[in-house]
Amino acid sequence: MSEPVHARSALRLRLLLSALFPPLFLAGAAFFGAWAADTASGDSPGRGTLVVIAVVCGALALPAAADLLVVVRRLRNGHQPH
């Protein structure tokens, strides 16, 4: 067999990315939400588009934060980083 029996991910890289993206997604949600609140009728992009983008950014923050918790738990349980 040339492949490992148990696949492992680069936990330190996942930790870095998981720590970086939730704040970025939340900042994006706040930015687009504030922009949507300040948009007048007839502006481009429209308020609806900006609200959708804000909601998507907020929704993406949830799995990114969950992944951060998983990575921290795995590192604390003694998984060896690559």
Side-chain angles (χ1 to χ4, degrees):
M1 268 179 149
S2 63
E3 295 183 21
V5 175
H6 299 287
R8 303 188 94 176
S9 65
L11 289 179
R12 296 286 179 194
L13 178 60
R14 278 181 62 192
L15 179 64
L16 173 69
L17 293 174
S18 294
L20 177 69
F21 280 104
L24 287 177
F25 286 137
L26 291 175
F31 173 76
F32 287 112
W35 188 4
D38 194 41
T39 300
S41 68
D43 284 352
S44 182
R47 179 172 290 164
T49 302
L50 294 171
V51 167
V52 167
I53 294 171
V55 168
V56 167
C57 285
L60 287 172
L62 296 175
D67 189 49
L68 178 62
L69 295 174
V70 168
V71 170
V72 167
R73 183 180 58 93
R74 287 184 181 173
L75 286 172
R76 285 187 181 160
N77 287 340
H79 286 265
Q80 296 298 321
H82 287 125

